Amino acid sequence: MPAIVVVGAQWGDEGKGRVVDDLAQDAHMVARYNGGDNAGHTVVAMGHTLRLHLVPSGILHPHTVCLIGAGVVINPTQLVAELDQLAALGVDVGPERVKLAAAAHVILPTHRALDGAREAARGREAIGTTRRGIGPVYADKAARVGLRAGQMADPEAFGERVLALVQVHNRLLQEHYGLEPLPVGEIVAESVVLAQRLRSYLADGSELVARALAAGQVVLCEGAQGTLLDLDHGTYPYVTSSSCVAGGALTGLGFGPQAVARVVGVAKAYTTRVGAGPFPTELTDEVGDRIRQAGGEYGTTTGRPRRCGWLDFPILRYAAQVNGFTELALTKLDVLTGIHPLKVAVAYERDGERISRFPAEWGAEEVTRWQPVYEEVPGWDEDIRSARRWEDLPPAARAYVERVEEVVGVPVTLIGVGPEREAVILR
Ligand code: IMP
């Protein structure tokens, strides 16, 4: 009864979607456990390129059931749009295949407005959020005033709850932020229609997972964002508002740890970050630009250029500690081709003191007090995009991967060498 958890090891955008796509071949259920439409992954289906934000990446594997778990927050307009897009391409997105956990929370337009207002109010300390209402909706959830997807089962009653919450939000927008209120009637009417549309997808997520596990099925738990964006274990306050780490799969889906057979950490062969906050190995020079160009490092959700930098070993070790990786997938190795020399951060230093750990738990400010210590490692010039076996990689590329394995202490079982679905080396 194995569950496999796929989790980002850095600041998100590590290529989890492609790893999930690969593992979904042998899975029965693909279950998203955290975040909302702040996440994004690109899938190519029937010759069309789709950007999905909520529907799990497994949707293109027709044998899977796709669950949006209790830990997820859903923007119903976005979810309906994705279901429509997929249906138009002939993908089965009926209620037998797509399930929405009743305990997932619902994002309203006023959550998005509040997200923007809070960001503007933070001024220079803005987090650089995706403005999808993520912080405000999780805040309402923790404050026990939020709306749960299950309430959509009765669309009219749901509309009344939406009305009450929108009025509270509007008061905040007006009185605290000096902004215009959003149109209540319109939002309520839309919410009722969306609830009518989505109610057939509602399910008891935890029970579905339990049944699948009891039947010996493989449940693939898909995380969004990454370890350093985790609300508890990331570079607070420059984080998202959900549990991105492996433990988030348990709370976000509702099952116990004994079912977890594998925890697959996904890391890029370098590091990227979107939004504000500390990023010690960031490259603001032409090497950073080169990585951004070669890696197509622009946000799937907001189109923002991603900040790019060297691989950071203390981060990977920290992520392995927090998540209990059993293995690692290393993506985008091809992007480093032709860069000489390559550097990797091996430790951190301040006033002559050296540490090998990443001090994320002490928060963003503490992280900025430390300087990365680099080591140079040999690069390679060979085009590795057509490599499909370990032996096809040049010695320097193999050494790079082996160094990661040694540092993190787990095997690298998947290596990404290009954007195409088949451009991977499986070990
Ligand atoms: P929020 O999740 O929109 O509140 O944004 C909080 C922080 O998380 C910002 O720095 C965002 O750029 C970052 N973030 C949120 N979702 C993603 C993602 O899917 N990939 C990378 N960064 C993300």
Side-chain angles (χ1 to χ4, degrees), residues 259-271:
V260 178
R262 294 164 67 186
V263 180
V264 184
V266 186
K268 264 181 204 165
Y270 45 96
T271 313

Side-chain angles (χ1 to χ4, degrees), residues 11-197:
W11 277 286
D13 308 317
E14 297 93 349
K16 293 177 292 294
R18 90 100 51 99
V19 174
V20 168
D21 184 52
D22 188 68
L23 293 169
Q25 294 172 40
D26 304 315
H28 300 85
M29 180 182 283
V30 182
R32 169 84 181 269
Y33 64 79
N34 75 299
D37 60 335
N38 49 348
H41 49 260
T42 308
V43 293
V44 181
M46 292 90 179
H48 295 264
T49 301
L50 292 181
R51 289 185 205 289
L52 298 179
H53 300 277
L54 286 168
V55 176
S57 315
I59 194 70
L60 297 180
H61 294 273
H63 63 277
T64 60
V65 168
C66 289
L67 168 66
I68 299 171
V72 179
V73 287
I74 63 138
N75 168 351
T77 311
Q78 176 63 32
L79 180 54
V80 166
E82 286 181 28
L83 294 173
D84 286 347
Q85 262 186 322
L86 287 160
L89 295 179
V91 179
D92 174 10
V93 287
E96 290 308 310
R97 267 212 81 200
V98 178
K99 307 280 184 183
L100 172 58
H105 275 247
V106 178
I107 302 177
L108 298 176
T110 41
H111 284 121
R112 290 198 292 282
L114 282 169
D115 194 354
R118 283 181 192 166
E119 279 287 272
R122 286 179 75 105
R124 288 184 40 192
E125 291 182 1
I127 292 175
T129 74
T130 59
R131 301 191 176 223
R132 296 299 190 274
I134 304 300
V137 77
Y138 279 113
D140 277 355
K141 171 177 167 174
R144 297 159 293 185
V145 297
L147 299 172
R148 290 175 123 194
Q151 291 166 336
M152 293 194 289
D154 181 345
E156 295 302 326
F158 180 67
E160 280 165 34
R161 288 172 188 270
V162 169
L163 173 77
L165 192 56
V166 167
Q167 281 171 336
V168 173
H169 289 163
N170 268 345
R171 233 174 290 135
L172 255 177
L173 285 169
Q174 284 176 284
E175 289 166 19
H176 190 75
Y177 296 105
L179 296 170
E180 288 296 311
L182 265 55
V184 184
E186 227 171 86
I187 294 173
V188 171
E190 259 173 31
S191 300
V192 173
V193 174
L194 289 164
Q196 282 161 348
R197 174 74 200 278

